[in-house]
Amino acid sequence: MKEIKNISRSRAQESSAAIERLYITMRHLFNRGFYKPMGVSGETLREALLELRPEIYGSIAEEKVELNGLLYVIERLPVGIEECRYINLTSDEGYSKSHFQPIVPPKRRRNCYRIDDEQMNVEITRGRSDIYDILTHLTFIFIESHKIKDRVLIDEEGKISRDWQKLEMAALQTKKLSQVEKEKAISHAANILGRTFVEVLDIYDSFATADKPDRFLHVIYWLGKIAIEEVVDNNKRTITFSPILRERLGHHIHGEIWANNIKEVLKTNNLLERPIHIISANMHSVMNSLFATYVLKTKFKDKSDFYIYEELSKSGANALRDKVEEYALKHGMISLPDQSGTNIDVQIFDTAKIDWAKSAFPKAKPSKQSPVLIVMDYAFGEQAFETIDELLKPYKVEKTKHFLNVESVSIMGKAGILEGGKGDIMIPNAHVNEGTADNYPFENELTASMFEGNEIPVYAGPMITVLGTSLQNRDLLKFFHESTWQAIGLEMEGAYYQKAIQSASRIRKSINTNVKVRYAYYASDNPLETGSTLASGGLGTTGVKPTYLITIKIIEQIFNIK
């Protein structure tokens, strides 16, 4: 009789299964309409996240509280959410017309509203990826809050430790703490968090805001306080999904409004019939690449273009940026701040109005029908499909369909790199959708050789479109990198963009079947390197050169500049 082989699962397989469970569970909870994250209904989410142990959440599976991961998450959630027992995820339901002031997290563009002392409403207008992002972040901070509770709650009747009493006194102070008071509070916080004094001291100011310099203590106190009340008073936190959100999600409502706004502006400015090049980038790199060198040449004599771009990227450079924007608006740029709820701003460049001799590209050779550039800000996850899918559809005017003459779609983005470091460039030749193995090979007009000789390492190969950057761990990423997939990086939008482009060009025939595509990414982090994950901080000026180098190569290709 043949012996049955005992097949053990690798950590990569376990991680993949944990991600699948997370997404199935989140969809189930969304359909259900509400759940209690630290109750029975949230148990599957907690267990899957603890099994996965994503790199970005660091020591989530250990007793000590994870500080870098907590900072990363807090910057992506609305200020004050740690105080709220009730979190309500809504669609755009008219709160902008109320007295409630929108709260926008520093690192995520989403409108949130503090309804009362206990409730925070978070608007979801960017699709399912936004829900996955929020729910995983909330699950993480709730797990961390219970670690705090475990270290300060002495018995089930609510008796608490001396460290907690001292932390409470410091956290509830309305005035800024003196250096002595701050260090005393840090000492008590370190005991509670299972961290050293210097670890807490090093991250303390990163949590601070202008009006709350001691916000770190405030966040720790409220996370612990609500966790204690969950156990002592059985007063559990609840996450709800509004009926309107559940009804609207997946119907491209915001994407359709967004795309129609763009087409309406094209029509108003007689640009609908012209060749169109769509660029997904940020709201400064194309504008600055075209005009900044000319506009600021007297101020920055004998300085390189990249020096000027770095100066423009600095936090106090508003006056310089305004000067470039003012010039751009007089020379063919139309600005479309978002009004659809997608949080994706747009710039339209009518290149017929650009004096190329007074630009950074005097050798540009635009076609007789001067092309139009549509520059859209970064989409988020699945939102990339919704927006590009709607934008590539014909524009209906009364009973007439206007097919857009889209000649190219160029995507520049930030991504995690699996070989190399922050600021390096990745040129994909395929996008592979994590969890499904749906794959989208394509002919990339950009090649690695185009970027050589600029002192920036360049990598070419397939990239993984992940369901959430905060759900990846070392084992899973090593599998993608070292197996026959040979992935060079991970990002969240590529497969969704390509799916929309392929369906529009090859099946629905709403755009040219030979539409050119360009994809290039610069590395925001290396999740395989300890200390180089997204939680370790931003790129700073490291990202300026690759950002502009990619933008310049895209512009050179569009305008046949050799």
Side-chain angles (χ1 to χ4, degrees):
M1 184 177 170
K2 196 172 183 181
E3 187 180 340
I4 296 170
K5 188 179 178 184
N6 183 23
I7 300 172
S8 61
R9 296 198 307 169
S10 68
R11 268 291 293 152
Q13 288 169 319
E14 289 172 353
S15 300
S16 185
I19 288 177
E20 190 176 358
R21 278 205 311 282
L22 276 163
Y23 281 90
I24 290 169
T25 304
M26 285 192 276
R27 288 204 170 198
H28 160 70
L29 295 172
F30 173 72
N31 289 331
R32 183 184 173 199
F34 75 97
Y35 77 104
K36 294 182 177 178
M38 301 312 290
V40 176
S41 52
E43 193 172 356
T44 309
L45 275 186
R46 300 196 308 274
E47 286 177 353
L49 205 60
L50 288 166
E51 183 179 340
L52 185 61
R53 299 195 293 280
E55 294 302 308
I56 214 157
Y57 293 153
S59 56
I60 184 173
E62 300 173 28
E63 284 186 14
K64 60 186 177 184
V65 172
E66 167 57 33
L67 298 180
N68 285 322
L70 185 60
L71 175 63
Y72 176 84
V73 167
I74 285 292
E75 287 179 332
R76 284 154 180 80
L77 293 172
V79 172
I81 198 164
E82 68 276 2
E83 302 173 16
C84 297
R85 187 170 280 108
Y86 303 99
I87 295 160
N88 186 25
L89 305 189
T90 73
S91 180
D92 179 357
E93 298 175 20
Y95 283 98
S96 59
K97 295 178 171 62
S98 69
H99 75 281
F100 295 112
Q101 288 299 311
I103 305 167
V104 181
K107 299 286 179 74
R108 277 283 186 271
R109 289 168 299 172
R110 52 171 71 110
N111 289 332
C112 310
Y113 300 92
R114 184 74 178 266
I115 304 303
D116 54 37
D117 289 347
E118 292 189 306
Q119 182 179 333
M120 181 74 75
N121 280 15
V122 181
E123 272 187 8
I124 304 293
T125 56
R126 308 174 78 181
R128 288 190 183 92
S129 296
D130 221 3
I131 291 178
Y132 304 153
D133 186 64
I134 288 170
L135 292 190
T136 48
H137 287 341
L138 289 175
T139 303
F140 165 74
I141 66 168
F142 294 162
I143 288 170
E144 297 301 302
S145 75
H146 273 246
K147 289 186 195 174
I148 297 168
K149 177 265 300 176
D150 291 340
R151 297 182 77 95
V152 302
L153 195 61
I154 294 170
D155 59 36
E156 291 185 3
E157 292 174 6
K159 192 173 181 184
I160 50 177
S161 69
R162 177 178 178 273
D163 282 319
W164 182 253
Q165 291 169 348
K166 295 291 184 183
L167 177 71
E168 182 176 39
M169 287 169 60
L172 296 178
Q173 287 272 15
T174 51
K175 60 180 178 60
K176 184 181 177 182
L177 298 180
S178 68
Q179 187 66 22
V180 173
E181 290 171 327
K182 174 180 163 181
E183 289 181 0
K184 284 180 180 177
I186 288 174
S187 176
H188 295 298
N191 285 342
I192 291 166
L193 301 172
R195 292 286 183 175
T196 64
F197 177 86
V198 75
E199 282 177 320
V200 178
L201 184 65
D202 284 347
I203 205 162
Y204 191 92
D205 290 335
S206 301
F207 280 80
T209 59
D211 57 334
K212 284 188 179 177
D214 301 299
R215 185 173 172 232
F216 176 82
L217 300 176
H218 185 90
V219 169
I220 299 301
Y221 168 69
W222 277 98
L223 286 177
K225 174 182 164 65
I226 292 186
I228 290 166
E229 289 173 0
E230 282 192 307
V231 172
V232 176
D233 304 327
N234 198 29
N235 197 354
K236 297 207 181 303
R237 283 173 277 212
T238 305
I239 292 175
T240 52
F241 305 90
S242 80
I244 303 295
L245 174 65
R246 291 161 68 203
E247 179 186 305
R248 287 180 177 174
L249 195 72
H251 294 296
H252 289 202
I253 287 169
H254 301 288
E256 185 178 2
I257 297 167
W258 175 84
N260 283 338
N261 288 345
I262 295 169
K263 292 166 189 173
E264 184 63 38
V265 171
L266 292 175
K267 177 176 174 287
T268 304
N269 290 274
N270 298 316
L271 303 174
L272 264 181
E273 309 299 328
R274 301 255 286 270
I276 290 171
H277 298 269
I278 298 167
I279 305 172
S280 174
N282 48 53
M283 287 290 96
H284 53 78
S285 58
V286 173
M287 178 180 73
N288 288 345
S289 295
L290 288 170
F291 302 118
T293 311
Y294 175 77
V295 173
L296 302 174
K297 64 181 178 182
T298 52
K299 183 173 179 63
F300 297 106
K301 282 180 182 173
D302 305 321
K303 297 292 184 184
S304 71
D305 290 357
F306 289 109
Y307 178 87
I308 295 171
Y309 302 145
E310 280 197 16
E311 289 299 306
L312 283 163
S313 300
K314 290 179 179 174
S315 57
N318 291 337
L320 290 177
R321 289 195 286 268
D322 290 345
K323 198 172 180 182
V324 177
E325 186 175 4
E326 185 183 345
Y327 182 86
L329 288 167
K330 290 176 182 174
H331 294 80
M333 187 178 91
I334 303 166
S335 181
L336 274 73
D338 181 61
Q339 295 177 333
S340 67
T342 59
N343 278 308
I344 299 177
D345 296 335
V346 171
Q347 293 163 338
I348 296 173
F349 293 85
D350 177 358
T351 63
K353 295 181 179 178
I354 294 176
D355 182 347
W356 291 102
K358 295 179 180 178
S359 76
F361 302 93
K363 295 180 180 176
K365 299 170 189 169
S367 56
K368 286 183 181 178
Q369 279 186 299
S370 297
V372 173
L373 308 183
I374 299 175
V375 182
M376 58 179 281
D377 211 340
Y378 298 123
F380 187 72
E382 289 185 27
Q383 188 191 33
F385 177 79
E386 176 180 338
T387 48
I388 290 291
D389 185 57
E390 291 295 333
L391 185 56
L392 298 182
K393 285 179 181 176
Y395 182 50
K396 288 182 183 176
V397 182
E398 293 170 353
K399 292 182 180 179
T400 310
K401 280 185 182 180
H402 285 270
F403 288 86
L404 300 185
N405 181 14
V406 178
E407 293 195 347
S408 75
V409 182
S410 304
I411 311 296
M412 176 183 74
K414 286 189 289 189
I417 196 166
L418 299 178
E419 180 183 343
K422 288 187 177 186
D424 293 355
I425 290 174
M426 290 160 276
I427 307 296
N429 55 26
H431 287 296
V432 180
N433 220 342
E434 178 188 46
T436 63
D438 291 349
N439 52 82
Y440 300 88
F442 48 84
E443 192 71 41
N444 195 342
E445 295 294 315
L446 298 174
T447 63
S449 60
M450 292 177 185
F451 294 89
E452 287 169 1
N454 289 286
E455 300 176 347
I456 297 176
V458 187
Y459 301 89
M463 290 185 73
I464 307 297
T465 298
V466 297
L467 297 166
T469 51
S470 57
L471 289 179
Q472 309 309 306
N473 67 17
R474 190 179 299 262
D475 305 291
L476 199 55
L477 296 175
K478 280 180 80 172
F479 165 74
F480 284 133
H481 182 49
E482 295 173 5
S483 71
T484 50
W485 285 116
Q486 295 184 313
I488 57 169
L490 62 144
E491 48 77 55
M492 283 184 65
E493 293 81 28
Y496 299 116
Y497 279 126
Q498 191 59 25
K499 180 164 72 169
I501 294 165
Q502 284 183 198
S503 65
S505 61
R506 298 184 186 181
I507 302 171
R508 304 167 88 169
K509 310 292 186 187
S510 54
I511 61 169
N512 189 340
T513 54
N514 297 318
V515 63
K516 294 179 178 178
V517 294
R518 304 179 186 91
Y519 290 91
Y521 299 88
Y522 58 96
S524 56
D525 65 302
N526 183 334
L528 287 177
E529 281 184 15
T530 304
S532 292
T533 66
L534 283 170
S536 65
L539 275 165
T541 54
T542 312
V544 173
K545 188 171 181 180
T547 300
Y548 281 91
L549 194 57
I550 293 167
T551 307
I552 288 164
K553 294 298 177 188
I554 290 170
I555 293 171
E556 285 177 350
Q557 282 206 344
I558 290 172
F559 295 105
N560 303 306
I561 302 167
K562 304 296 183 202

